[in-house]
Amino acid sequence: MKLALASVLIGTAAAFSSPSFVKKTSAMHMSTAAPSETYTFAKSEEIFAEAQTLMPGGVSSPVRAFKSVGGNPVVFDRVKGAYAWDVDGNEYIDYVGTWGPAIIGHADDEVLDAVKATMEKGTSFGAPCPLENELAKMVIDAVPSVEMVRFTNSGTEACMGMIRLVRAFTGREKVIKFEGCYHGHADSFLVQAGSGVATLGLPDSPGVPSSATKATLCAEYNNLDSVKAIFEDNKDEIAAIILEPVVGNSGFIKPDKEFLEGLRELANDNGSLLVFDEVMTGFRVSYGGAQEYFGVTPDVTTMGKVIGGGLPVGAYGGRKDIMEMVAPAGPMYQAGTLSGNPLAMTAGIETMKRLKEEGVHEELERKAQKLIDGITAAAEKHGHAISADCAGGMFGWFFVEGPVKTFADATKSDSEKFGKWHRMMLERGVYLAPSMYEAGFMSMAHTDEDIEKTIAIADEVLSQL
């Protein structure tokens, strides 16, 4: 691994110097140590340059391209536990966790062994298999709102099925979503969305016809009055209120419990359904998701990420009377060739077994709190405005005076500072989401030593920003 000494200040977010992992000394010692050496990325640069000639932007999903933080992405070679290694041999403490699924740690041995055993029987059946029943029972047991579940291949696909279902069940077309909440890239959801749309500064997406979004009405997150106003203007026309119960696609934004309770009441009063998109929060903020964490039960829930244990998966579920609208039990059609495939079901089952163990989510939240407390203290020590929070194994911070309650609040964060921060942390061996509009993820595999090392590196970086 080639090393180059870090300059005292990184000139711009686009500066693409070279990182190195800090020597294995104590976190307290590192915080006062000489400047860290930084990694080099020659092989990543070469592979990404070729990728740009083969795939749009060189990636298979937009946020991976590092457009909002400057420089080019590193190219991964392998992952294990809480760590990732790139093609140049650089090692990172990983707080992205393949965007959420790696909650028990990357490439867990028990999960891998189970998947290998299942693979001997075949990778896809295109027919019912008992593993679907097993995972379905685990989901139904865990999630308060779910009495029946349909498996899909991604969170986007789950949300596509969900919106068709709520419209079919209620006989209404209009839905309410919230500014900065992301529910996949289906046409009807790409209205004031977060995630990559916000990251790239695209308010909407070209190619989405106006007819696809005219029935999607946007309210402000954590603002119950904005929702009431939409109901008043669209009496008896709203099929559902759809939201991320904890926003992870505008950065990390926690709801006021009274806001969620108010949405539940508004849905009841207006004959509408309440939908929690728990693709990100499901089984992560607690075993039963955000609905268990906050004690508010929706009618329908979408899921993904964690329940696939690192393999492609999605699901939507809810009350039995609603779910029985789904074909072949009912007339609302939705299908998928690889849905419920045995590999994804196996990985999900093994992951869920681990998450059900006593104290798992309390420990995830303890570690997430320790991380954000340490980084907040370091930022304040060096005179940076910062606002941070966490729930279970999900966390985030903004370089802005808090609190951050809405997407509009999040947009006031210092994006230039975030870009420099991200690059300098990356160069020192900490892999964070390459956008200030994405949450971070803690895993069972992260240790206190990992967190202390991260805080020490953050202290060094923040002293130079």
Side-chain angles (χ1 to χ4, degrees), residues 108-118 346:
D108 179 80
D109 289 339
E110 292 179 23
V111 174
L112 291 179
D113 288 345
V115 170
K116 288 171 187 174
T118 298
T346 297

Side-chain angles (χ1 to χ4, degrees), residues 246-298:
V246 177
V247 181
N249 288 289
S250 298
F252 179 91
I253 304 176
K254 209 168 179 177
D256 298 323
K257 184 177 179 181
E258 295 75 17
F259 173 65
L260 297 182
E261 291 171 338
L263 294 179
R264 177 68 277 175
E265 186 176 340
L266 280 172
N268 291 345
D269 291 347
N270 289 277
S272 304
L273 300 179
L274 178 62
V275 180
F276 280 4
D277 179 350
E278 297 230 40
V279 168
M280 194 173 285
T281 56
F283 318 102
R284 174 164 282 285
V285 301
S286 73
Y287 188 63
Q291 55 199 264
E292 179 183 69
Y293 189 92
F294 292 102
V296 178
T297 304

Side-chain angles (χ1 to χ4, degrees), residues 202-247:
L202 304 174
D204 296 295
S205 174
V208 176
S210 58
S211 59
T213 58
K214 67 180 182 181
T216 304
L217 309 175
C218 284
E220 185 177 58
Y221 193 79
N222 269 326
N223 181 347
L224 206 56
D225 287 339
S226 71
V227 184
K228 291 177 181 177
I230 292 174
F231 271 112
E232 289 169 4
D233 292 341
N234 299 272
K235 191 169 179 59
D236 299 327
E237 295 183 86
I238 305 298
I241 306 168
I242 303 167
L243 75 156
E244 294 179 83
V246 177
V247 181

Side-chain angles (χ1 to χ4, degrees), residues 60 75 206:
S60 296
V75 177

Side-chain angles (χ1 to χ4, degrees), residues 163 167 173-177 185-192 203-205 207-218:
I163 195 169
R167 285 169 168 164
E173 289 190 11
K174 294 180 180 179
V175 296
I176 298 174
K177 73 174 290 292
H185 58 80
D187 284 359
S188 55
F189 289 122
L190 288 180
V191 181
Q192 298 184 49
D204 296 295
S205 174
V208 176
S210 58
S211 59
T213 58
K214 67 180 182 181
T216 304
L217 309 175
C218 284

Side-chain angles (χ1 to χ4, degrees), residues 29 72 99 114 130 144 186 197 211 222 230 237 299 308 329 335 374 377 414 417 463:
H29 176 70
N72 290 327
W99 300 97
V197 179
S211 59
N222 269 326
I230 292 174
E237 295 183 86
D299 301 296
D414 189 332
K417 181 178 289 185
S463 75

Side-chain angles (χ1 to χ4, degrees), residues 16 44-60 62 64-67 71-73 75:
F16 205 83
S44 281
E45 291 276 21
E46 180 183 348
I47 293 170
F48 186 64
E50 180 185 41
Q52 289 176 294
T53 71
L54 302 171
M55 298 173 285
V59 293
S60 296
R64 300 177 194 174
F66 282 31
K67 289 288 187 182
N72 290 327
V75 177

